[in-house]
Coordinates of all heavy atoms in Angstrom, one line a residue:
V425 N -11.8 -14.2 -11.0 CA -11.4 -13.8 -12.3 C -11.5 -12.3 -12.5 O -10.5 -11.6 -13.0 CB -12.3 -14.5 -13.4 CG1 -12.1 -13.9 -14.7 CG2 -12.0 -16.0 -13.4
V426 N -12.5 -11.7 -12.0 CA -12.7 -10.2 -12.0 C -11.6 -9.5 -11.2 O -11.0 -8.5 -11.6 CB -14.1 -9.8 -11.6 CG1 -14.1 -8.3 -11.4 CG2 -15.1 -10.3 -12.5
A427 N -11.3 -10.1 -10.0 CA -10.2 -9.5 -9.2 C -8.9 -9.6 -9.9 O -8.1 -8.7 -9.9 CB -10.2 -10.2 -7.8
D428 N -8.6 -10.7 -10.5 CA -7.4 -10.9 -11.3 C -7.2 -9.9 -12.4 O -6.2 -9.3 -12.6 CB -7.3 -12.3 -11.9 CG -6.8 -13.4 -10.9 OD1 -6.2 -13.0 -9.9 OD2 -7.1 -14.5 -11.1
L429 N -8.3 -9.7 -13.1 CA -8.3 -8.7 -14.2 C -8.1 -7.3 -13.7 O -7.3 -6.5 -14.4 CB -9.6 -8.8 -15.0 CG -9.9 -10.0 -15.8 CD1 -11.3 -10.0 -16.4 CD2 -8.8 -10.2 -16.9
F430 N -8.7 -6.9 -12.7 CA -8.6 -5.5 -12.2 C -7.5 -5.2 -11.3 O -7.2 -4.0 -11.0 CB -10.0 -5.1 -11.6 CG -11.1 -4.9 -12.6 CD1 -12.1 -5.8 -12.7 CD2 -11.0 -3.8 -13.5 CE1 -13.1 -5.6 -13.7 CE2 -12.0 -3.7 -14.5 CZ -13.0 -4.6 -14.5
A431 N -6.8 -6.2 -10.8 CA -5.7 -6.0 -9.9 C -4.6 -5.2 -10.6 O -4.1 -4.2 -10.2 CB -5.2 -7.3 -9.2
G432 N -4.2 -5.8 -11.7 CA -3.2 -5.1 -12.5 C -3.6 -3.7 -13.0 O -2.8 -2.8 -13.0
A433 N -4.8 -3.6 -13.4 CA -5.3 -2.3 -13.9 C -5.3 -1.3 -12.7 O -4.9 -0.1 -13.0 CB -6.7 -2.4 -14.4
G434 N -5.6 -1.7 -11.5 CA -5.6 -0.8 -10.4 C -4.2 -0.3 -10.1 O -3.9 0.9 -9.8
V435 N -3.2 -1.2 -10.1 CA -1.8 -0.9 -9.9 C -1.3 0.1 -11.0 O -0.7 1.1 -10.7 CB -0.9 -2.1 -9.7 CG1 0.5 -1.7 -9.7 CG2 -1.3 -2.9 -8.5
L436 N -1.6 -0.3 -12.2 CA -1.2 0.6 -13.4 C -1.8 2.0 -13.3 O -1.1 3.0 -13.5 CB -1.5 -0.1 -14.7 CG -0.6 -1.2 -15.1 CD1 -1.0 -1.9 -16.4 CD2 0.9 -0.8 -15.2
I437 N -3.0 2.1 -13.0 CA -3.7 3.4 -12.9 C -3.0 4.2 -11.7 O -2.8 5.4 -11.8 CB -5.2 3.3 -12.7 CG1 -5.8 2.8 -14.0 CG2 -5.8 4.6 -12.2 CD1 -7.3 2.4 -13.9
G438 N -2.8 3.5 -10.6 CA -2.1 4.2 -9.5 C -0.7 4.7 -9.9 O -0.4 5.8 -9.5
L439 N 0.0 3.9 -10.6 CA 1.4 4.3 -11.0 C 1.3 5.5 -11.9 O 2.1 6.4 -11.9 CB 2.1 3.2 -11.6 CG 2.5 2.0 -10.7 CD1 3.2 0.9 -11.4 CD2 3.4 2.5 -9.5
W440 N 0.3 5.5 -12.8 CA 0.1 6.6 -13.8 C -0.3 7.9 -13.0 O 0.2 9.0 -13.3 CB -1.0 6.3 -14.8 CG -1.3 7.4 -15.8 CD1 -0.6 7.6 -16.9 CD2 -2.3 8.4 -15.7 NE1 -1.1 8.7 -17.5 CE2 -2.1 9.2 -16.8 CE3 -3.3 8.6 -14.7 CZ2 -3.0 10.3 -17.0 CZ3 -4.1 9.7 -15.0 CH2 -4.0 10.5 -16.1
L441 N -1.2 7.8 -12.0 CA -1.6 8.9 -11.2 C -0.4 9.5 -10.4 O -0.3 10.7 -10.3 CB -2.6 8.5 -10.2 CG -4.1 8.3 -10.7 CD1 -4.9 7.7 -9.6 CD2 -4.6 9.6 -11.2
V442 N 0.5 8.7 -10.0 CA 1.7 9.2 -9.3 C 2.6 9.9 -10.2 O 3.1 10.9 -10.0 CB 2.4 8.0 -8.5 CG1 3.8 8.5 -8.0 CG2 1.6 7.5 -7.4
A443 N 2.9 9.2 -11.4 CA 3.8 9.8 -12.3 C 3.4 11.1 -12.9 O 4.2 12.0 -13.1 CB 4.0 8.8 -13.5
F444 N 2.1 11.3 -13.2 CA 1.6 12.5 -13.8 C 0.8 13.4 -12.9 O 0.1 14.2 -13.3 CB 0.8 12.1 -15.1 CG 1.5 11.5 -16.2 CD1 1.7 10.1 -16.3 CD2 2.2 12.3 -17.1 CE1 2.4 9.6 -17.3 CE2 2.9 11.8 -18.1 CZ 3.0 10.4 -18.2
G445 N 1.0 13.2 -11.6 CA 0.2 13.9 -10.6 C 0.4 15.4 -10.6 O -0.6 16.1 -10.2
F446 N 1.5 15.9 -11.0 CA 1.6 17.4 -11.0 C 1.3 18.0 -12.3 O 1.2 19.2 -12.5 CB 3.1 17.7 -10.6 CG 4.1 17.0 -11.4 CD1 4.6 17.6 -12.6 CD2 4.6 15.8 -11.0 CE1 5.5 16.9 -13.4 CE2 5.5 15.2 -11.8 CZ 6.0 15.7 -12.9
V447 N 1.0 17.2 -13.4 CA 0.6 17.7 -14.7 C -0.9 17.5 -14.9 O -1.5 18.3 -15.5 CB 1.4 16.9 -15.8 CG1 0.9 17.4 -17.2 CG2 2.9 17.0 -15.6
T448 N -1.5 16.5 -14.3 CA -2.9 16.2 -14.4 C -3.5 16.1 -13.0 O -2.7 16.0 -12.0 CB -3.1 14.9 -15.1 OG1 -2.5 13.8 -14.4 CG2 -2.6 14.9 -16.5
P449 N -4.8 16.0 -12.8 CA -5.4 15.8 -11.5 C -4.9 14.4 -11.0 O -4.9 13.4 -11.7 CB -6.9 15.8 -11.7 CG -7.1 16.6 -13.0 CD -5.8 16.3 -13.8
G450 N -4.4 14.4 -9.8 CA -3.9 13.1 -9.2 C -2.7 13.5 -8.3 O -2.7 14.6 -7.8
G451 N -1.9 12.6 -8.1 CA -0.7 12.8 -7.3 C -0.4 11.6 -6.5 O -0.9 10.5 -6.7
G452 N 0.6 11.8 -5.5 CA 1.1 10.7 -4.7 C 0.0 10.0 -3.9 O -0.1 8.8 -3.8
F453 N -0.8 10.8 -3.2 CA -1.9 10.3 -2.3 C -2.9 9.4 -3.2 O -3.1 8.3 -2.8 CB -2.6 11.3 -1.6 CG -3.6 10.8 -0.6 CD1 -3.2 10.3 0.6 CD2 -4.9 10.7 -0.9 CE1 -4.1 9.8 1.5 CE2 -5.8 10.1 0.0 CZ -5.4 9.7 1.2
Q454 N -3.4 10.0 -4.2 CA -4.4 9.3 -5.0 C -3.8 8.1 -5.7 O -4.4 7.0 -5.7 CB -5.0 10.3 -6.1 CG -5.8 11.4 -5.5 CD -4.9 12.6 -5.2 OE1 -3.7 12.5 -5.0 NE2 -5.5 13.8 -5.2
G455 N -2.6 8.2 -6.2 CA -1.9 7.1 -6.8 C -1.6 6.0 -5.8 O -1.8 4.8 -6.1
G456 N -1.2 6.4 -4.6 CA -1.0 5.4 -3.6 C -2.2 4.6 -3.2 O -2.2 3.4 -3.0
V457 N -3.3 5.3 -3.1 CA -4.6 4.6 -2.8 C -5.0 3.7 -3.9 O -5.5 2.5 -3.7 CB -5.7 5.6 -2.5 CG1 -7.1 5.0 -2.4 CG2 -5.4 6.4 -1.2
A458 N -4.8 4.1 -5.2 CA -5.1 3.2 -6.3 C -4.2 2.0 -6.4 O -4.7 0.9 -6.6 CB -5.0 4.0 -7.6
V459 N -2.9 2.2 -6.1 CA -2.0 1.0 -6.0 C -2.5 0.1 -4.9 O -2.5 -1.2 -5.1 CB -0.6 1.5 -5.8 CG1 0.3 0.3 -5.4 CG2 -0.1 2.2 -7.0
T460 N -2.9 0.6 -3.8 CA -3.4 -0.2 -2.7 C -4.6 -1.0 -3.1 O -4.7 -2.2 -2.8 CB -3.7 0.6 -1.4 OG1 -2.5 1.3 -1.1 CG2 -4.2 -0.2 -0.3
S461 N -5.5 -0.4 -3.8 CA -6.7 -1.1 -4.2 C -6.4 -2.2 -5.2 O -7.0 -3.3 -5.1 CB -7.7 -0.1 -4.8 OG -7.3 0.4 -6.1
G462 N -5.5 -2.0 -6.0 CA -5.0 -3.1 -6.9 C -4.4 -4.3 -6.1 O -4.7 -5.4 -6.4
A463 N -3.6 -3.9 -5.1 CA -3.0 -5.0 -4.3 C -4.0 -5.7 -3.4 O -3.9 -6.9 -3.2 CB -1.9 -4.3 -3.4
V464 N -5.0 -5.0 -3.0 CA -6.1 -5.6 -2.1 C -6.9 -6.6 -3.0 O -7.4 -7.6 -2.5 CB -7.0 -4.5 -1.5 CG1 -8.3 -5.1 -0.9 CG2 -6.2 -3.8 -0.4
L465 N -7.0 -6.3 -4.3 CA -7.7 -7.2 -5.2 C -7.0 -8.6 -5.3 O -7.6 -9.6 -5.6 CB -7.9 -6.6 -6.5 CG -9.0 -5.6 -6.6 CD1 -9.1 -4.9 -8.0 CD2 -10.4 -6.2 -6.3
L466 N -5.7 -8.5 -5.0 CA -4.9 -9.8 -5.0 C -5.4 -10.7 -3.8 O -5.5 -11.9 -4.0 CB -3.4 -9.5 -4.8 CG -2.7 -8.9 -6.0 CD1 -1.3 -8.6 -5.6 CD2 -2.8 -9.8 -7.2
Y467 N -5.8 -10.1 -2.7 CA -6.3 -10.8 -1.6 C -7.7 -11.4 -2.0 O -7.9 -12.6 -1.7 CB -6.5 -10.0 -0.4 CG -7.5 -10.6 0.6 CD1 -7.1 -11.7 1.4 CD2 -8.8 -10.1 0.8 CE1 -8.0 -12.2 2.3 CE2 -9.6 -10.7 1.7 CZ -9.2 -11.7 2.4 OH -10.1 -12.3 3.3
V468 N -8.5 -10.6 -2.7 CA -9.8 -11.1 -3.2 C -9.6 -12.3 -4.1 O -10.3 -13.3 -4.1 CB -10.6 -10.0 -3.8 CG1 -11.9 -10.5 -4.4 CG2 -10.9 -8.9 -2.8
A469 N -8.6 -12.2 -5.0 CA -8.4 -13.2 -6.0 C -7.7 -14.5 -5.5 O -8.1 -15.6 -5.9 CB -7.5 -12.6 -7.2
A470 N -6.8 -14.3 -4.6 CA -5.9 -15.4 -4.2 C -6.3 -16.0 -2.8 O -6.0 -17.1 -2.5 CB -4.5 -15.1 -4.3
G471 N -6.8 -15.2 -1.9 CA -7.0 -15.6 -0.5 C -6.0 -15.1 0.4 O -5.1 -14.4 0.1
Y472 N -6.1 -15.5 1.7 CA -5.3 -15.0 2.7 C -3.8 -15.5 2.7 O -2.9 -14.7 2.8 CB -5.9 -15.3 4.1 CG -5.0 -14.8 5.2 CD1 -5.0 -13.4 5.5 CD2 -4.2 -15.6 6.0 CE1 -4.3 -12.9 6.5 CE2 -3.5 -15.1 7.0 CZ -3.5 -13.7 7.3 OH -2.7 -13.2 8.3
R473 N -3.6 -16.8 2.5 CA -2.2 -17.3 2.6 C -1.4 -16.7 1.5 O -0.3 -16.2 1.8 CB -2.2 -18.8 2.4 CG -2.6 -19.5 3.7 CD -2.5 -21.0 3.6 NE -2.9 -21.6 4.9 CZ -3.0 -22.8 5.1 NH1 -2.7 -23.7 4.1 NH2 -3.4 -23.3 6.2
P474 N -1.8 -16.6 0.2 CA -0.9 -16.0 -0.8 C -0.7 -14.5 -0.5 O 0.3 -13.9 -0.7 CB -1.6 -16.2 -2.1 CG -2.5 -17.4 -1.9 CD -2.9 -17.4 -0.4
W475 N -1.8 -13.8 0.0 CA -1.7 -12.4 0.4 C -0.6 -12.2 1.4 O 0.3 -11.4 1.3 CB -3.0 -11.9 0.9 CG -2.9 -10.6 1.7 CD1 -2.7 -10.5 3.0 CD2 -2.8 -9.3 1.2 NE1 -2.6 -9.2 3.4 CE2 -2.6 -8.4 2.2 CE3 -2.9 -8.8 -0.1 CZ2 -2.6 -7.1 2.1 CZ3 -2.8 -7.4 -0.3 CH2 -2.7 -6.6 0.8
R476 N -0.6 -13.1 2.5 CA 0.3 -13.0 3.5 C 1.8 -13.2 3.0 O 2.7 -12.5 3.5 CB 0.0 -14.0 4.6 CG 1.0 -14.1 5.8 CD 0.5 -13.2 6.9 NE 1.6 -13.0 7.9 CZ 1.6 -13.6 9.0 NH1 0.7 -14.5 9.4 NH2 2.6 -13.4 9.8
R477 N 1.9 -14.2 2.2 CA 3.3 -14.4 1.6 C 3.8 -13.3 0.8 O 4.9 -12.9 0.8 CB 3.3 -15.7 0.8 CG 3.3 -17.0 1.7 CD 3.7 -18.2 0.8 NE 2.7 -18.4 -0.2 CZ 1.6 -19.2 -0.1 NH1 1.3 -19.8 1.1 NH2 0.8 -19.4 -1.1
A478 N 2.9 -12.7 0.0 CA 3.3 -11.7 -1.0 C 3.4 -10.3 -0.3 O 4.4 -9.6 -0.5 CB 2.4 -11.6 -2.1
L479 N 2.4 -9.9 0.4 CA 2.3 -8.5 0.8 C 2.0 -8.3 2.3 O 2.1 -7.2 2.8 CB 1.2 -7.7 0.0 CG 1.4 -7.6 -1.5 CD1 0.2 -7.2 -2.1 CD2 2.6 -6.7 -1.7
G480 N 1.6 -9.3 3.0 CA 1.1 -9.1 4.3 C 2.1 -9.2 5.5 O 1.7 -9.3 6.6
D481 N 3.3 -9.1 5.1 CA 4.4 -9.2 6.1 C 4.9 -7.9 6.6 O 5.4 -7.1 5.8 CB 5.5 -10.1 5.6 CG 6.5 -10.6 6.6 OD1 6.2 -10.3 7.8 OD2 7.5 -11.2 6.2
E482 N 4.9 -7.6 7.9 CA 5.3 -6.3 8.3 C 6.8 -6.2 8.2 O 7.4 -5.1 8.2 CB 4.9 -6.0 9.8 CG 5.4 -7.0 10.8 CD 4.3 -8.0 11.2 OE1 3.2 -7.9 10.7 OE2 4.6 -8.9 11.9
V483 N 7.6 -7.3 8.0 CA 9.0 -7.2 7.8 C 9.3 -6.5 6.5 O 10.3 -5.8 6.3 CB 9.6 -8.6 7.8 CG1 11.1 -8.6 7.5 CG2 9.4 -9.3 9.2
V484 N 8.4 -6.6 5.5 CA 8.6 -5.9 4.2 C 7.9 -4.6 4.2 O 8.5 -3.6 3.8 CB 8.0 -6.8 3.1 CG1 8.0 -6.1 1.8 CG2 8.7 -8.1 3.0
L485 N 6.7 -4.5 4.7 CA 5.9 -3.3 4.6 C 6.3 -2.1 5.5 O 6.3 -1.0 5.1 CB 4.4 -3.6 4.8 CG 3.7 -4.4 3.7 CD1 2.3 -4.8 4.1 CD2 3.8 -3.7 2.4
D486 N 6.6 -2.4 6.7 CA 7.0 -1.4 7.7 C 8.3 -0.6 7.2 O 8.3 0.6 7.2 CB 7.2 -1.9 9.1 CG 5.9 -2.3 9.8 OD1 4.8 -1.8 9.3 OD2 5.9 -3.0 10.8
P487 N 9.4 -1.4 6.8 CA 10.5 -0.6 6.3 C 10.3 0.1 5.0 O 10.8 1.2 4.8 CB 11.6 -1.7 6.1 CG 11.2 -2.8 6.9 CD 9.7 -2.8 7.0
L488 N 9.4 -0.4 4.2 CA 9.0 0.3 2.9 C 8.3 1.6 3.2 O 8.6 2.6 2.6 CB 8.2 -0.6 2.1 CG 7.9 -0.2 0.7 CD1 9.1 -0.1 -0.1 CD2 6.9 -1.1 0.0
E489 N 7.4 1.6 4.2 CA 6.7 2.8 4.6 C 7.7 3.8 5.2 O 7.6 5.0 4.9 CB 5.6 2.5 5.6 CG 4.8 3.6 6.0 CD 3.8 3.3 7.1 OE1 3.8 2.2 7.6 OE2 3.0 4.2 7.5
A490 N 8.6 3.3 6.0 CA 9.6 4.2 6.6 C 10.5 4.8 5.6 O 10.9 6.0 5.7 CB 10.3 3.5 7.7
L491 N 10.9 4.0 4.6 CA 11.8 4.5 3.6 C 11.1 5.6 2.8 O 11.8 6.6 2.4 CB 12.2 3.3 2.7 CG 13.1 3.7 1.5 CD1 14.5 4.0 1.9 CD2 13.1 2.5 0.5
A492 N 9.9 5.4 2.4 CA 9.2 6.4 1.7 C 9.0 7.7 2.5 O 9.2 8.8 1.9 CB 7.8 5.9 1.2
A493 N 8.6 7.6 3.7 CA 8.5 8.8 4.5 C 9.8 9.5 4.7 O 9.9 10.7 4.7 CB 7.9 8.5 5.9
G494 N 10.9 8.7 4.9 CA 12.2 9.3 5.0 C 12.7 9.9 3.7 O 13.4 11.0 3.7
G495 N 12.2 9.4 2.5 CA 12.6 10.0 1.2 C 12.0 11.4 1.1 O 12.6 12.3 0.5
F496 N 10.8 11.6 1.6 CA 10.2 12.9 1.5 C 11.0 13.9 2.3 O 11.2 15.0 1.9 CB 8.7 12.8 2.1 CG 7.9 14.0 2.0 CD1 7.2 14.3 0.8 CD2 7.8 14.9 3.1 CE1 6.5 15.4 0.7 CE2 7.0 16.1 3.0 CZ 6.4 16.3 1.8
V497 N 11.4 13.5 3.5 CA 12.3 14.3 4.3 C 13.6 14.6 3.7 O 14.1 15.8 3.7 CB 12.5 13.7 5.7 CG1 13.5 14.5 6.6 CG2 11.1 13.6 6.5
V498 N 14.2 13.6 3.0 CA 15.5 13.8 2.4 C 15.4 14.8 1.3 O 16.3 15.7 1.1 CB 16.0 12.5 1.9 CG1 17.2 12.7 0.9 CG2 16.5 11.6 3.0
I499 N 14.3 14.8 0.5 CA 14.1 15.8 -0.6 C 14.0 17.2 0.0 O 14.6 18.1 -0.5 CB 12.8 15.4 -1.4 CG1 13.0 14.1 -2.1 CG2 12.5 16.5 -2.4 CD1 11.8 13.5 -2.7
G500 N 13.3 17.3 1.1 CA 13.2 18.6 1.7 C 14.5 19.1 2.3 O 14.9 20.3 2.2
L501 N 15.2 18.2 3.0 CA 16.5 18.5 3.6 C 17.6 18.9 2.5 O 18.4 19.7 2.8 CB 17.0 17.4 4.4 CG 16.2 17.2 5.7 CD1 16.8 16.0 6.5 CD2 16.2 18.5 6.6
A502 N 17.5 18.3 1.3 CA 18.4 18.7 0.2 C 18.2 20.1 -0.1 O 19.2 20.8 -0.4 CB 18.1 17.8 -1.0
A503 N 17.0 20.6 -0.1 CA 16.8 22.1 -0.4 C 17.3 22.9 0.8 O 17.9 24.0 0.5 CB 15.3 22.3 -0.6
L504 N 17.1 22.5 2.0 CA 17.7 23.2 3.2 C 19.2 23.3 3.2 O 19.8 24.4 3.4 CB 17.2 22.6 4.5 CG 15.7 22.8 4.9 CD1 15.4 22.0 6.2 CD2 15.5 24.3 5.1
V505 N 19.8 22.2 2.8 CA 21.3 22.2 2.8 C 21.8 23.1 1.7 O 22.8 23.7 1.8 CB 21.8 20.7 2.6 CG1 23.2 20.7 2.2 CG2 21.5 19.9 3.8
S506 N 21.0 23.2 0.6 CA 21.4 24.1 -0.5 C 21.1 25.6 -0.2 O 21.3 26.5 -1.0 CB 20.6 23.7 -1.8 OG 21.0 22.4 -2.1
G507 N 20.5 25.9 0.9 CA 20.2 27.3 1.3 C 18.9 27.8 0.9 O 18.6 29.0 1.0
Y508 N 18.0 26.9 0.6 CA 16.6 27.2 0.2 C 15.6 26.7 1.2 O 15.9 25.9 2.0 CB 16.3 26.6 -1.2 CG 17.1 27.1 -2.3 CD1 18.1 26.3 -2.8 CD2 16.9 28.4 -2.8 CE1 18.9 26.8 -3.9 CE2 17.7 28.9 -3.9 CZ 18.7 28.1 -4.4 OH 19.5 28.5 -5.4
P509 N 14.4 27.2 1.2 CA 13.3 26.7 2.1 C 13.1 25.2 1.8 O 13.3 24.7 0.7 CB 12.1 27.5 1.8 CG 12.6 28.8 1.2 CD 13.9 28.4 0.4
F510 N 12.5 24.5 2.8 CA 12.2 23.1 2.7 C 11.3 22.8 1.5 O 10.4 23.5 1.2 CB 11.4 22.7 4.0 CG 11.3 21.2 4.2 CD1 12.3 20.5 4.6 CD2 10.0 20.6 4.0 CE1 12.2 19.1 4.8 CE2 9.9 19.3 4.2 CZ 11.0 18.5 4.6
L511 N 11.7 21.8 0.8 CA 11.0 21.3 -0.4 C 11.0 22.3 -1.6 O 10.2 22.2 -2.5 CB 9.6 20.9 -0.2 CG 9.4 19.6 0.6 CD1 7.9 19.3 0.9 CD2 10.0 18.4 -0.1

Side-chain angles (χ1 to χ4, degrees):
V425 168
V426 171
D428 281 337
L429 291 174
F430 287 109
V435 171
L436 285 177
I437 288 170
L439 294 176
W440 181 84
L441 284 170
V442 171
F444 292 94
F446 52 89
V447 179
T448 62
F453 183 82
Q454 295 88 336
V457 171
V459 168
T460 302
S461 68
V464 167
L465 285 175
L466 291 176
Y467 162 73
V468 173
Y472 180 73
R473 283 184 180 176
W475 163 268
R476 175 97 193 255
R477 280 192 301 269
L479 296 168
D481 192 6
E482 60 260 354
V483 173
V484 174
L485 291 175
D486 287 344
L488 189 63
E489 181 184 7
L491 177 71
F496 187 83
V497 172
V498 167
I499 294 167
L501 290 178
L504 284 177
V505 168
S506 299
Y508 296 105
F510 191 75
L511 289 178

